[in-house]
Amino acid sequence: MAQKEYLQAKLTQFLREDRIQLWKPPYTDENKEVGLALKDLAKKYSDKLECCENEVEKIMEEIRCKAIERGTGNEHYKTTGIATIEVFLPPRVRKDRKNRLETRLHITGRTLEEQGVTHNVKAMVLELKQSEEDTRKNVQVEEDEQNEAKLKEKRIQRTKRGLEILAERAEMVVDPETTPYLDIANQTGRSIRMPPSERKALVLAMGYHEKGRAFLKRKEYGIALPCLLDADRYFCECCPELLDTVDNYAVLQLDIVWCYFRLGQLECLDDAEKKLNLAQKCFKNCYGENHQRLVHIKGNCGKEKILFLRLYLLQGIRNYLSGNGEVACDYLSKAHQLFKELYIDPTKVDNLLQLGFTAQEARLGLRACDGNVDHAAAHITNRREELAQIRKEEKEKKRRRLENINSLKGMGYSTHAARQALHQASGNLDEALKILVSNPQMWWLNDSDPQTNNCQESPSQESINQLVYMGFEAVAAEAALRVFRGNVQLAAQTLAHNGGSLPPDLQFSAEDSSSTPSTSPSDSAAASSASTDEDMETEAVNEILEDIPEHEEDYLDSTLEDEEILIAEYLCYVENIKSATKKN
């Protein structure tokens, strides 16, 4: 299959170089049938490529028919506005690999145009649900496949829900000892400070990426790809500067293209090459020229070489399938050289296993230390100790942050306000309090925490009298107490800071501030289903957490078994090209 793709790309290249248009005479007659000149041209190119003449003629006929079909479609699009989309179907449902779909681009909902779909674009279909027509065929087989598709769809939906919950928890204040949530760390394992909005997008991006990688490991490529594409979408919501500091975005591009390849679609998707180029650019920005930034941070770059091996391998495959044999050979040779550098003697892994290390630690340690067992053992031990210390410090930092937030909540501030002030103050409680005092608009950053939203119909006379005793007007005192729900300290601070009255953005009606939540008979019904919903949410979260690897460098670990086979296979293809070239 790969060789046919190469041959087709090479013939297309020859046709362009020779400025030959197969859809015109003498290769196509007035009835759009094949002309006799095509056979002569096939003979010329088959001699040039040292290939079977019949095979070359067959492929050239496919190219000719496609060109005629494309030209007809172009004319149809110009006159009717109906575009043609080349659809690549999943393996199970495709009798012919490619189907053509005609549609207008200005359909209801979000338009195809807005999604980057144009005339003659290529699209890939992922099978998540089957059509009703399919279910009527071969009842038992179709039922099994339908159930599998439904299960696949449910798994994707559970993934989405679980990640949403974990992302929401990252925005909340939770006890890390009792409530699991996702945190973001840099290459050394320390948490990264960032604005809440960017943090949520990055948590979702990395969460979808990890889930997609878990499916990739299980070779469930049809489920992996939607997760990886969702991760790509959320990464695009993060600021570019952030993406330059972590290698996750570059790794994601490799994983997406790897998924394309495993689904048999690498040669048909135009953005595969763009993603590989983007990955290369991101690695350079993140690791620095010649990896100097990476070496400065980690002390070596042995483990990260595995990412470049896969990058070069995919670039080699992509170029081969595009007919660029010489470029493909260069990339595949680079990948092969890295494979030889990264290959690990199994006996060395066994030696480290006997010392109590895991197979993953052994592979990563040996690659970081150029295969030296003693150095690898020391490296793994040191890294364990470093991570243990970092985790201890991060745990203490989270504990202090939770205590500081609770302290500010105890003063009457909302959780949201406390979090924002502490973020601006880099976690310093005294500085956060100064920020809150000098920025009264932050005091009314509301949240849904029932402990800080104690609504009352009206403030007590005793509280009003306290403020009046401090010198404030009774009307202003009552209004401030309504806004801050009876908190005398916040009311006094606000009035004092604003000359005895509320600032404009806090002057809303007493009815709004004193409203209480209504109850209805449906509340009990809702409560009865709460435990079920909670169980479903717990299941969704646990399913995500199970796929989050324990080792922070899991994405750098590989046995390289798949890569070894592919490197050998495609090097064989390019060697055949070289042999044919020498004969000519």
Side-chain angles (χ1 to χ4, degrees):
M1 185 64 186
Q3 289 170 301
K4 181 183 176 182
E5 294 292 341
Y6 169 80
L7 189 56
Q8 184 172 352
K10 203 66 182 173
L11 288 170
T12 302
Q13 182 181 324
F14 287 164
L15 291 169
R16 286 182 184 144
E17 289 173 355
D18 296 340
R19 299 180 181 276
I20 292 175
Q21 298 175 320
L22 292 180
W23 61 95
K24 293 182 178 181
Y27 310 103
T28 300
D29 62 24
E30 64 275 8
N31 297 320
K32 296 185 179 179
E33 296 295 329
V34 61
L36 295 176
L38 186 71
K39 191 171 187 66
D40 295 334
L41 188 62
K43 174 71 168 62
K44 173 186 172 182
Y45 288 158
S46 64
D47 290 343
K48 191 174 182 179
L49 290 167
E50 289 285 322
C51 293
C52 172
E53 183 180 338
N54 289 338
E55 181 66 19
V56 170
E57 185 177 353
K58 182 180 176 182
I59 293 175
M60 288 182 66
E61 173 60 7
E62 290 178 5
I63 295 172
R64 189 190 72 84
C65 291
K66 184 176 179 181
I68 293 172
E69 191 176 27
R70 192 180 184 92
T72 303
N74 289 343
E75 291 298 323
H76 188 56
Y77 177 62
K78 289 176 184 176
T79 56
T80 66
I82 296 177
T84 300
I85 299 174
E86 194 173 341
V87 179
F88 292 79
L89 297 173
R92 190 193 68 83
V93 298
R94 64 185 186 200
K95 294 178 182 176
D96 297 321
R97 245 170 59 82
K98 303 173 186 178
N99 280 28
R100 300 178 78 82
L101 171 68
E102 292 187 347
T103 180
R104 294 188 182 276
L105 300 179
H106 302 289
I107 59 176
T108 56
R110 189 182 172 201
T111 68
L112 294 174
E113 234 173 12
E114 290 174 330
Q115 299 176 65
V117 177
T118 59
H119 175 57
N120 282 330
V121 76
K122 296 176 182 178
M124 180 172 67
V125 174
L126 292 175
E127 183 186 15
L128 300 180
K129 293 182 178 178
Q130 297 178 19
S131 67
E132 292 182 6
E133 182 182 351
D134 284 339
T135 62
R136 288 194 289 268
K137 304 174 185 175
N138 302 324
V139 177
Q140 186 59 50
V141 174
E142 291 298 328
E143 280 185 4
D144 292 343
E145 291 180 348
Q146 182 75 1
N147 290 335
E148 184 181 347
K150 287 180 180 178
L151 180 62
K152 194 182 293 185
E153 173 67 11
K154 285 182 180 178
R155 291 170 74 186
I156 291 175
Q157 293 305 319
R158 278 203 307 272
T159 294
K160 291 180 182 293
R161 183 57 190 142
L163 286 170
E164 286 169 0
I165 293 169
L166 289 169
E168 288 166 5
R169 287 179 182 174
E171 294 298 294
M172 298 162 55
V173 179
V174 296
D175 185 351
E177 295 292 331
T178 59
T179 308
Y181 70 100
L182 297 182
D183 198 8
I184 300 169
N186 60 18
Q187 292 168 335
T188 65
R190 297 189 182 278
S191 294
I192 299 175
R193 289 185 66 249
M194 65 182 67
S197 59
E198 288 185 18
R199 174 177 287 274
K200 183 174 182 179
L202 191 55
V203 165
L204 286 169
M206 296 176 72
Y208 275 114
H209 189 189
E210 288 297 346
K211 191 65 179 178
R213 289 185 62 251
F215 286 129
L216 277 180
K217 290 178 184 177
R218 297 192 284 267
K219 302 189 184 303
E220 297 182 68
Y221 304 111
I223 307 181
L225 188 55
C227 292
L228 297 174
L229 294 176
D230 278 336
D232 194 38
R233 177 166 58 90
Y234 281 110
F235 267 122
C236 290
E237 295 180 12
C238 302
C239 67
E241 293 78 12
L242 177 65
L243 300 183
D244 285 342
T245 63
V246 293
D247 57 9
N248 304 72
Y249 191 49
V251 175
L252 174 63
Q253 306 309 307
L254 293 185
D255 288 338
I256 291 174
V257 179
W258 184 260
C259 209
Y260 287 163
F261 174 66
R262 285 307 188 185
L263 287 169
Q265 303 287 2
L266 181 63
E267 78 286 356
C268 73
L269 290 164
D270 296 333
D271 68 336
E273 185 176 5
K274 294 177 185 176
K275 289 189 179 300
L276 293 176
N277 290 338
L278 179 58
Q280 192 161 17
K281 178 185 174 184
C282 289
F283 281 136
K284 182 178 179 181
N285 292 339
C286 180
Y287 294 158
E289 197 73 44
N290 299 319
H291 307 163
Q292 76 268 17
R293 180 169 177 266
L294 180 64
V295 173
H296 177 72
I297 294 172
K298 289 190 172 183
N300 66 81
C301 61
K303 291 171 286 188
E304 281 72 14
K305 286 181 180 179
I306 206 163
L307 300 176
F308 290 90
L309 184 153
R310 181 165 284 189
L311 173 64
Y312 297 148
L313 171 58
L314 289 171
Q315 286 174 322
I317 293 173
R318 174 65 183 169
N319 275 281
Y320 175 79
L321 296 176
S322 300
N324 302 319
E326 291 184 7
V327 178
C329 184
D330 289 341
Y331 279 123
L332 291 168
S333 297
K334 287 182 179 180
H336 187 237
Q337 180 58 40
L338 280 177
F339 173 78
K340 290 191 290 185
E341 291 179 24
L342 295 170
Y343 174 78
I344 297 173
D345 184 348
T347 58
K348 293 182 177 181
V349 175
D350 291 337
N351 290 339
L352 290 170
L353 290 176
Q354 292 174 11
L355 295 176
F357 302 121
T358 67
Q360 185 177 66
E361 286 178 320
R363 286 190 293 269
L364 291 168
L366 286 167
R367 284 176 181 145
C369 299
D370 297 322
N372 186 298
V373 176
D374 293 334
H375 291 174
H379 173 84
I380 297 169
T381 302
N382 291 339
R383 185 58 182 156
R384 279 184 174 183
E385 292 173 355
E386 288 173 8
L387 282 175
Q389 182 62 31
I390 289 172
R391 285 168 182 159
K392 181 180 178 181
E393 293 171 3
E394 291 296 318
K395 184 177 178 180
E396 177 61 21
K397 191 188 299 182
K398 290 182 178 71
R399 187 192 63 78
R400 287 198 305 270
R401 179 174 178 270
L402 187 59
E403 286 181 353
N404 289 341
I405 288 173
N406 288 333
S407 296
L408 292 174
K409 286 171 65 178
M411 299 177 193
Y413 298 107
S414 70
T415 302
H416 192 171
R419 286 179 61 251
Q420 187 167 353
L422 284 166
H423 178 79
Q424 293 181 19
S426 300
N428 186 289
L429 180 60
D430 293 336
E431 290 299 319
L433 191 56
K434 290 178 182 177
I435 290 171
L436 288 167
V437 171
S438 59
N439 295 277
Q441 69 274 13
M442 293 182 63
W443 299 345
W444 190 241
L445 288 174
N446 200 6
D447 54 45
S448 58
D449 188 343
Q451 293 181 350
T452 59
N453 288 335
N454 295 320
C455 299
Q456 57 185 65
E457 293 184 3
S458 60
S460 67
Q461 189 60 46
E462 180 183 357
S463 298
I464 295 173
N465 290 341
Q466 287 182 33
L467 292 176
V468 170
Y469 182 76
M470 296 178 193
F472 302 114
E473 296 290 335
V475 175
E478 183 176 357
L481 286 167
R482 284 189 183 279
V483 168
F484 293 106
R485 294 172 184 168
N487 190 300
V488 176
Q489 183 179 0
L490 286 182
Q493 287 177 337
T494 305
L495 292 172
H497 196 81
N498 292 274
S501 62
L502 288 172
D505 54 348
L506 296 184
Q507 291 179 359
F508 48 79
S509 65
E511 287 80 7
D512 288 339
S513 63
S514 62
S515 61
T516 58
S518 60
T519 59
S520 68
S522 64
D523 290 343
S524 59
S528 66
S529 65
S531 59
T532 304
D533 292 340
E534 186 175 339
D535 290 342
M536 292 175 65
E537 290 189 351
T538 301
E539 180 185 351
V541 168
N542 289 340
E543 204 168 281
I544 296 294
L545 296 176
E546 287 170 3
D547 284 332
I548 302 295
E550 291 186 12
H551 201 290
E552 76 285 355
E553 292 181 329
D554 177 82
Y555 70 104
L556 299 175
D557 177 43
S558 173
T559 61
L560 294 181
E561 292 173 358
D562 291 343
E563 288 84 350
E564 180 181 14
I565 293 170
L566 288 171
I567 289 171
E569 178 184 348
Y570 279 87
L571 275 176
C572 180
Y573 295 156
V574 297
E575 286 300 325
N576 291 339
I577 298 171
K578 284 183 179 180
S579 299
T581 304
K582 287 178 181 177
K583 288 179 183 179
N584 290 329

